[in-house]
Amino acid sequence: MNNVLGVINLINEPQFLKDLTRHRCYASVPFGGRYRLIDFTLSNFVRNGITKVGIFSKEKYRSLMDHVGSGREWDLDRHNGGLYILPPDESGEPIEGDLDSFHSHLEFFKRSQEQTVVLSPGHHVCKIDLDDVYKFHQQHEADITVVYKRYDGENVRKPVYHKCLVDDDDSIADINLFAFPAQGDAICLETYFINKDVLIDLVERCVENEENDFLKDVVKANLPRLKVKAYRFDGYLPFIHSIDTFYAGNLSFLEPEIHHKFYFGTGDIYTKVKHEAPAKYGKHADVSRSLIANGCEISGHVENSILFRGVKVKEGAVVKNSIIMQKGMIEEGVHLENVIADKQVTITSGKMIAGSARPRIIRKSTKL
């Protein structure tokens, strides 16, 4: 796939995670014990041979820049190709939509030698064979190929997904924007293969007409005119559209089948390397069904939980059904249950904190 340019589109990021995206963009949210959400998209790109990637960012991307750096962990720190962070232009004008942002950086597309572009959001947790999608795109001589997945998630309270209506010949007949999905509906994953010349032409024409949304104004509006095909993805992908589903998606990695699929199956998930000592377990440590990252020090009880790098659980503390992000400090006698603690949270001795049916969020750097 050395003829494919990778684009991670962060312009239309959903605002599902509220407190967890207060200081960072959605793609930069920690996930699965040691990753950021964007790691999955970046890894899918480079694992399939894409060597030039542009990240179109909108706001709160400092954390993201710190995480991806020069792209070394993804082998994207290279002279030919490499990783490009494409922020909003310096005019100070608000971004009207992703097409507006693409238009601001149109030279990025024009100067790229690749003839096909794959666009993807930065928050999908999945391992997808993009080479297979590319072959599908070529075999069907499509102008645009849309990747979709049959909905198998929880009930949705807000119309946050786009439903594809797919013909028997794998063509997109229509797209219902912002719909309530039912089980089995074809959900657009906002991942597209598009021929570069088609993309440049449509970006220029749409922006000239003050049309600024890729899905609505490029894909949906041109269904009668362009050859738009649909590629079905059947792999594991948790549909995350709320704190509840984010929590469930994380804890699903405790399931052996899913854990092995991501960590031991074909293809690695790459992330920023931090050299820390292996997790240290004290004399009274009691850990079951949990993911414990390196640098952790465990002296208490940890059950059905995910602990990111450098978390300390002191003696007599209990952490149950919880997600504790980097550098968390859980002091003696604390009881945590159904909690998501953001980075650098300290829970002082003897505190008891429990979510109800919904996990309780503890904001970054909070001390309770």
Side-chain angles (χ1 to χ4, degrees), residues 224-263:
R225 191 174 68 85
L226 298 179
K227 190 173 185 180
V228 183
K229 305 298 287 187
Y231 178 93
R232 177 172 170 171
F233 171 64
D234 288 322
Y236 178 75
L237 181 150
F239 284 97
I240 297 174
H241 47 258
S242 63
I243 286 292
D244 292 356
T245 50
F246 172 78
Y247 173 75
N250 267 278
L251 294 189
S252 72
F253 272 56
L254 300 179
E255 298 291 338
E257 181 183 352
I258 295 172
H259 181 87
H260 279 262
K261 187 175 294 182
F262 276 85
Y263 297 144

Side-chain angles (χ1 to χ4, degrees), residues 297-311:
E297 296 181 14
I298 312 296
S299 295
H301 177 89
V302 180
E303 177 183 346
N304 199 49
S305 295
I306 296 176
L307 274 54
F308 286 69
R309 292 165 169 146
V311 171

Side-chain angles (χ1 to χ4, degrees), residues 284-336:
H284 301 289
D286 179 18
V287 179
S288 61
R289 201 176 185 271
S290 296
L291 286 179
I292 310 294
N294 53 334
C296 288
E297 296 181 14
I298 312 296
S299 295
H301 177 89
V302 180
E303 177 183 346
N304 199 49
S305 295
I306 296 176
L307 274 54
F308 286 69
R309 292 165 169 146
V311 171
K312 293 181 172 61
V313 180
K314 297 292 186 180
E315 191 169 330
V318 174
V319 178
K320 189 175 180 182
N321 306 330
S322 295
I323 300 164
I324 314 296
M325 297 181 182
Q326 298 93 316
K327 307 294 181 185
M329 169 62 77
I330 314 301
E331 296 186 346
E332 293 85 353
V334 167
H335 186 106
L336 295 182

